[in-house]
Amino acid sequence: AQTVTQSQPEMSVQEAETVTLSCTYDTSESDYYLFWYKQPPSRQMILVIRQEAYKQQNATENRFSVNFQKAAKSFSLKISDSQLGDAAMYFCASENQAGTALIFGKGTTLSVSS
Amino acid sequence: DTGVSQDPRHKITKRGQNVTFRCDPISEHNRLYWYRQTLGQGPEFLTYFQNEAQLEKSRLLSDRFSAERPKGSFSTLEIQRTEQGDSAMYLCASSLNRGAEAFFGQGTRLTVV
């Protein structure tokens, strides 16, 4: 079965600093998709960034970028110039083989201090 | 389109009662998912619809749980004979294609007392 592991239950960062959230996954597929989702307190989950496994280039979205290491099955999220609004729970997810479900990690709670 | 909406937002029920939740996905999305999330955990997949067909169900979905998506539009998730262990946030999401962004609703928080 596919698994996604986030080994950091909590992380903290100061405003304007950079933080990296870790994620490893396990899949036997060669073509798959990886995601980072953000869930602010009491608010709905939203997509932060998405990576297609067949693309070598790491995805970037403004202050958010990933370090995708396919051989190591690692997919970390880097947040640059952290802002107070970045405080949330962050979930790493991979799509299952059939494309019918997302498999989520347990999440990392990110706190941002001024 | 205002995104994925779920109703109700909160539900408190007594053990043994039946409850039904509704999800209205983004209108052009043919893929609809239900997840369950407990406090401090990641969402766990429950079931998947492509249009009106329920194509996948998790082993988490016991026979007390049933989901429908008539005419491929809104979906309902019913839990019969609720148990305290059913207390969780139930999330609905929809997407357009495999690998595409899934849009989530705000969830229905179920408390079984």
Side-chain angles (χ1 to χ4, degrees), chain A residues 31-33 35 37 39 42-45 47 50 89 91 95-102 104-107, chain B residues 4 9 31 33 35 37 40-45 47-48 55-56 91 97-106:
Chain A
D31 178 21
Y32 52 90
Y33 299 87
F35 307 83
Y37 280 88
Q39 190 175 40
S42 301
R43 295 184 62 186
Q44 66 206 91
M45 198 165 319
L47 179 70
R50 168 183 172 273
M89 198 150 184
F91 293 100
E95 191 173 63
N96 69 354
Q97 175 187 356
T100 56
L102 289 172
F104 286 87
K106 291 188 175 183
Chain B
V4 178
R9 294 286 309 280
R31 302 165 77 96
Y33 317 79
Y35 293 87
Q37 185 179 23
Q41 300 295 313
E44 294 175 300
F45 170 74
T47 191
Y48 165 73
L55 297 184
E56 186 156 339
L91 298 172
N97 295 308
R98 177 176 181 252
E101 175 181 2
F103 291 82
F104 284 79
Q106 291 189 289

Side-chain angles (χ1 to χ4, degrees), chain A residues 13-18 80-83 112-113:
Chain A
V13 66
Q14 290 201 315
E15 264 188 304
E17 297 296 307
T18 296
S80 304
D81 187 26
S82 297
Q83 301 175 358
V112 183
S113 55

Side-chain angles (χ1 to χ4, degrees), chain A residues 30-89:
Chain A
S30 57
D31 178 21
Y32 52 90
Y33 299 87
L34 298 167
F35 307 83
W36 278 97
Y37 280 88
K38 170 185 177 182
Q39 190 175 40
S42 301
R43 295 184 62 186
Q44 66 206 91
M45 198 165 319
I46 57 173
L47 179 70
V48 175
I49 200 164
R50 168 183 172 273
Q51 175 81 40
E52 299 173 53
Y54 67 87
K55 288 188 175 179
Q56 298 289 337
Q57 189 172 8
N58 290 327
T60 62
E61 287 288 340
N62 301 313
R63 298 182 296 107
F64 299 88
S65 62
V66 298
N67 183 4
F68 174 47
Q69 301 289 326
K70 192 171 183 178
K73 295 183 179 176
S74 170
F75 183 60
S76 60
L77 174 69
K78 185 170 84 170
I79 306 174
S80 304
D81 187 26
S82 297
Q83 301 175 358
L84 293 176
D86 294 334
M89 198 150 184

Side-chain angles (χ1 to χ4, degrees), chain B residues 45-56:
Chain B
F45 170 74
L46 291 178
T47 191
Y48 165 73
F49 287 88
Q50 186 157 328
N51 299 310
E52 68 276 8
Q54 187 176 20
L55 297 184
E56 186 156 339

